[in-house]
Amino acid sequence: MSGLKRPVRVTAGDRVRFDGQLRGVLAVSALAVTLSDDDRPYRVVPLLELFETEDFKVVDTPMRMPLPPASLLESFPEAEVEKALWWEGHILEVLHGLPPGAEPGAEPRPEFGPDRSLTARQRAKAAELTTAGHRVSPSTVAHRRRRYQEHGVIGLADHRLVRKRPQYGEVDDAVVTAMRQAIGEAVDASTRTGTFLLWRTGEILKASPEGHQVRLPSQRTLYRLLGKLTVGTHTTGSATTRRSRAHGAQGPHGEMPVFAPGEVMQIDSTPLDVLVRLDNGVVGKVELTAMVDVATRTVTAAVLRPTTKSVDASVLLARTVTPELMRPGWVEALKMSRSVLPHRRLLALDERLEHAAARPVIVPELIVCDHGKVFLSRNFRSACRFLEVDFQPTHKGSPFEKGHIEKTLGSVATLFAQFLPGYTGRNTDHRGRNLEHEHLWSLLELQELLDEWIVAKWQNRKHDGLRDPSHPGRPFTPNEKYAALVEACGYVPVALGGDDYVELLPAEWRVVNDYGIRIKNRTYDSPELGRMRRQDSGVRAKRGLWEAHTDPYDVSRIWVRDHRRDNIWVQAAWRYLNRVPVPFGDLAWDHVSHQLPRATEAEIADAVAALLTRAHAGPQSGPEPEPDKRDRRVAARTKAAGPVTPASASSGASSEDTAEEPEETLAEVIPLGLFDPLEDPWKRP
């Protein structure tokens, strides 16, 4: 008996080799098995004797009886389902001797006992049903039994009642093929109506050899066929969506798991649906370029430009790794120290966060973008290499691969832009009238409002994509998600020095004249430009011009590279800087800063409401309120301190700046007005 390989099981219906013959298994009991026999109706063999026979072998075992597909049964009429279940009870008695639901220990009836062959039991069942008024033959019972063993209870139902219709009805396959070709030709073409597609289908059939023998169905049938073939293709809808679906990835959409801030970030540009007043006084639209962190949905930087260029993307990257400093007029609730962000712990690692607003500083590891020239430019790629950031363009025609930034830019239009004067709507059908006559913001003013809105609204807005897997019922805000992830992933700052920041700014090549350097109708000058005036820089490729770097989002100053003195940077200020608000220093910040508890949700909501109200009202041109004595002193000292360089902005205030000084008599301070691009710059104040 040792080493005997036994079958997994022997069931009724199996065929086995026993005693030199192939025999069918008619019935199986606890101690014996009933086999078919050529000489006798059946043969009962004890299991022990069967397994010990040397030539015993299960020749073939039918597949396991499938589970009843209940979902398919539901597609049948109720009467047919009841009939199939009725047949199942009788077939089970034929196969196993007992009907379903028999009491434990019940014995089979004599005509269905294990000593009866399968054929005999089928005859007995046919006779029983006929006597009960159901005229069936033994062959019918055998047919039902075989269908039940092959398909389960679904095999006992009449499938003629649920016969499936052809996918395209009675339409000839050649017509379907021709219409598919017409739909394929429309992918990259302009959008046309269904009438054109039906006409094109007929033309394709006429041009094919077999098309002459095909008879076109009726117009109604063709329109129904067109509706089936164009489901989800936007063939008669949006051309942009149609091309995106046709040329996008055809396989299943994968998902890149993201567990840390900065692990994957996405960047993109889109026109902002708002009219603004540009520097030359012309009313026009601008483009919004933004970067979003996938793990936290944080908008790390967003800038507005009349036309996005490669240098703008580089500056955006620099702003991403630079803290957003609090600005005059921002409420205390927007301060990082009053937010859910771990400000105290992060401040020990990065001193630049001392006066930062409640927007995380995230260093990118991988940036995903589309194939726009701005992001594939050498300038942007070199900036990524400088900051050691991986660069990954998406597949062409696959905007879903950067769906987070696509959705974010769309949310800016619905959550922010519609509150602004000059809002145009997403298309011409939604555009109002006489928008250019409204009290429009300038580009620089609108940039200030956008920066404040991101800190106040977006970073504190619960996001449906930020949920805890353990508690999916609770959504998080971007700041809350960042605070949770930074505890596990840590924070390593990439502090850009002043020279590093300037290197990322766009360059302009200009002549240094007696009055300074003129860039975009603004004049910049500095005493340190003395040795460069009317001189040749020595750069032959630029015909002796001097290299000047400008910050598109801060027009108060520029930086000129001195090619004659080891390429050092010389800072030059805007000549009419006294006509616009000057950059604030540490003293101004300390004056308005107070040690307040963490900002409440109500305070943040009030700040957002005030921001949207101020944005909707447009720029104010009335007189400024008279400042008090201390405000005048702080303003005067801030102005005397001069502009703040990027290097100095990255460090905290010194003890000398923040020390309280005794009252002193100061000269009268004239409040500074807003810059008017339409004003004559040569007009005497």
Side-chain angles (χ1 to χ4, degrees):
M1 292 293 295
S2 61
L4 179 63
K5 183 178 181 181
R6 299 187 179 186
V8 177
R9 64 177 180 173
V10 177
T11 60
D14 290 351
R15 290 199 309 159
V16 298
R17 182 180 297 279
F18 174 72
D19 200 12
Q21 294 183 2
L22 290 178
R23 305 173 186 271
V25 178
L26 304 179
V28 179
S29 64
L31 300 176
V33 60
T34 303
L35 305 176
S36 62
D37 197 334
D38 294 339
D39 300 334
R40 295 174 292 181
Y42 63 90
R43 180 178 177 180
V44 180
V45 181
L47 290 176
L48 186 59
E49 178 183 348
L50 179 69
F51 293 151
E52 289 182 346
T53 304
E54 294 182 357
D55 63 343
F56 169 75
K57 181 181 180 182
V58 178
V59 178
D60 56 354
T61 302
M63 296 179 61
R64 179 183 62 83
M65 185 181 300
L67 295 174
S71 59
L72 292 180
L73 273 180
E74 294 176 357
S75 63
F76 287 83
E78 185 177 356
E80 188 61 27
V81 174
E82 294 179 357
K83 184 178 179 180
L85 297 176
W86 177 81
W87 265 110
E88 182 184 28
H90 293 290
I91 296 300
L92 289 175
E93 188 175 14
V94 171
L95 290 174
H96 305 295
L98 293 174
E103 296 293 335
E107 294 292 335
R109 291 185 290 172
E111 59 270 26
F112 299 103
D115 57 339
R116 303 289 297 231
S117 66
L118 185 61
T119 303
R121 280 179 279 177
Q122 291 174 170
R123 292 197 191 100
K125 180 57 69 175
E128 176 188 346
L129 295 178
T130 301
T131 303
H134 306 282
R135 294 181 59 86
V136 294
S137 63
S139 62
T140 302
V141 177
H143 174 70
R144 298 274 182 173
R145 187 260 306 168
R146 288 191 295 269
R147 287 188 59 83
Y148 182 77
Q149 289 181 317
E150 183 177 357
H151 302 290
V153 68
I154 196 68
L156 302 176
D158 188 356
H159 287 253
R160 294 175 297 179
L161 301 177
V162 291
R163 183 175 298 172
K164 296 181 180 180
R165 300 177 180 178
Q167 184 177 5
Y168 303 115
E170 303 298 330
V171 181
D172 193 281
D173 291 341
V175 178
V176 177
T177 303
M179 187 170 290
R180 288 186 185 276
Q181 181 179 343
I183 294 172
E185 294 175 353
V187 170
D188 296 318
S190 300
T191 300
R192 293 180 170 89
T193 63
T195 303
F196 172 83
L197 295 174
L198 297 189
W199 171 83
R200 181 56 185 156
T201 300
E203 294 296 312
I204 294 174
L205 283 174
K206 293 178 183 179
S208 61
E210 65 278 3
H212 298 282
Q213 303 175 359
V214 177
R215 182 178 179 182
L216 284 174
S218 64
Q219 287 286 102
R220 295 181 62 182
T221 302
L222 287 175
Y223 272 111
R224 286 195 297 267
L225 176 62
L226 180 64
K228 294 179 180 179
L229 295 178
T230 57
V231 171
T233 61
H234 290 260
T235 302
T236 58
S238 170
T240 303
T241 307
R242 178 173 65 251
R243 290 190 296 267
S244 176
R245 288 182 175 272
H247 300 309
Q250 301 299 322
H253 295 180
E255 182 178 357
M256 180 181 296
V258 180
F259 304 102
E263 187 175 356
V264 177
M265 302 186 72
Q266 298 176 358
I267 186 174
D268 198 12
S269 296
T270 187
L272 188 67
D273 301 327
V274 176
L275 295 179
V276 300
R277 194 171 300 279
L278 304 177
D279 288 350
N280 55 5
V282 177
V283 174
K285 297 182 68 173
V286 294
E287 290 187 357
L288 168 64
T289 304
M291 185 178 297
V292 64
D293 174 51
V294 176
T296 64
R297 303 302 198 273
T298 295
V299 177
T300 57
V303 295
L304 300 172
R305 295 293 290 166
T307 302
T308 304
K309 300 181 180 180
S310 59
V311 292
D312 300 318
S314 302
V315 174
L316 187 75
L317 184 59
R319 296 188 64 174
T320 297
V321 297
T322 305
E324 182 72 62
L325 297 180
M326 289 288 291
R327 304 176 190 178
W330 288 16
V331 297
E332 290 296 313
L334 305 185
K335 187 178 178 182
M336 180 180 287
S337 59
R338 298 196 58 200
S339 68
V340 298
L341 300 175
H343 176 259
R344 186 181 300 274
R345 299 178 62 181
L346 295 176
L347 183 60
L349 302 175
D350 192 348
E351 295 182 356
R352 302 176 301 168
L353 301 178
E354 181 177 0
H355 301 318
R359 190 211 72 189
V361 179
I362 300 179
V363 180
E365 296 182 14
L366 172 65
I367 295 180
V368 179
C369 63
D370 56 21
H371 288 259
K373 294 182 179 180
V374 172
F375 308 118
L376 297 181
S377 64
R378 182 179 59 183
N379 195 320
F380 184 64
R381 287 175 176 267
S382 62
C384 291
R385 287 194 298 268
F386 172 76
L387 295 176
E388 299 181 354
V389 177
D390 293 332
F391 176 82
Q392 179 62 60
T394 62
H395 295 88
K396 291 186 177 180
S398 302
F400 59 85
E401 295 183 356
K402 54 179 181 64
H404 299 291
I405 185 63
E406 296 276 356
K407 184 65 176 178
T408 299
L409 294 178
S411 298
V412 172
T414 58
L415 299 176
F416 174 68
Q418 65 175 338
F419 293 91
L420 300 172
Y423 175 64
T424 62
R426 65 175 181 267
N427 52 43
T428 54
D429 293 338
H430 293 203
R431 182 163 180 162
R433 302 176 61 183
N434 301 322
L435 301 180
E436 60 277 2
H437 299 309
E438 295 185 5
H439 207 191
L440 304 178
W441 292 100
S442 69
L443 180 60
L444 296 178
E445 293 169 338
L446 186 58
Q447 179 70 57
E448 291 281 341
L449 290 174
L450 177 62
D451 293 338
E452 184 179 358
W453 178 83
I454 290 175
V455 176
K457 176 65 175 179
W458 181 266
Q459 292 300 122
N460 296 284
R461 176 176 176 264
K462 294 186 182 299
H463 199 290
D464 189 64
L466 301 178
R467 295 182 181 270
D468 187 351
S470 303
H471 305 281
R474 178 193 175 188
F476 289 88
T477 67
N479 279 353
E480 291 174 342
K481 191 67 174 181
Y482 177 84
L485 293 181
V486 77
E487 292 291 337
C489 304
Y491 172 75
V492 179
V494 177
L496 291 179
D499 291 346
D500 296 332
Y501 187 87
V502 173
E503 288 288 353
L504 292 175
L505 297 177
E508 302 278 353
W509 293 85
R510 293 290 189 272
V511 175
V512 181
N513 294 303
D514 291 335
Y515 55 81
I517 298 177
R518 192 171 181 83
I519 297 179
K520 295 183 179 179
N521 297 323
R522 295 187 180 95
T523 303
Y524 298 87
D525 199 2
S526 171
E528 299 182 21
L529 295 178
R531 58 180 300 167
M532 304 181 193
R533 304 182 193 276
R534 304 185 309 278
Q535 300 298 317
D536 190 293
S537 66
V539 182
R540 295 184 179 180
K542 295 298 181 178
R543 305 187 306 277
L545 300 179
W546 296 87
E547 180 183 359
H549 284 208
T550 62
D551 189 341
Y553 318 107
D554 185 2
V555 299
S556 63
R557 58 195 179 276
I558 64 173
W559 292 266
V560 184
R561 192 193 301 272
D562 191 343
H563 300 279
R564 300 291 185 181
R565 291 191 300 173
D566 299 330
N567 294 324
I568 63 174
W569 291 107
V570 175
Q571 180 175 292
W574 183 16
R575 175 178 292 181
Y576 296 99
L577 186 60
N578 61 343
R579 294 174 181 250
V580 297
V582 299
F584 64 97
D586 291 334
L587 178 62
W589 166 259
D590 292 335
H591 171 58
V592 299
S593 176
H594 303 281
Q595 299 298 327
L596 298 177
R598 176 174 296 178
T600 63
E601 185 176 354
E603 289 178 314
I604 295 177
D606 292 341
V608 174
L611 167 64
L612 296 179
T613 301
R614 187 171 73 254
H616 180 70
Q620 302 297 323
S621 57
E624 295 290 336
E626 184 69 20
D628 59 20
K629 186 176 181 180
R630 180 168 175 78
D631 288 339
R632 291 199 305 269
R633 184 173 68 253
V634 172
R637 294 187 59 188
T638 301
K639 180 179 179 181
V644 182
T645 63
S648 62
S650 63
S651 60
S654 63
S655 58
E656 295 180 358
D657 292 333
T658 58
E660 184 69 27
E661 294 188 359
E663 296 289 338
E664 58 183 15
T665 303
L666 298 177
E668 180 183 1
V669 177
I670 301 176
L672 301 175
L674 294 176
F675 169 69
D676 186 358
L678 302 179
E679 184 179 358
D680 185 2
W682 304 109
K683 182 179 179 181
R684 292 182 178 274

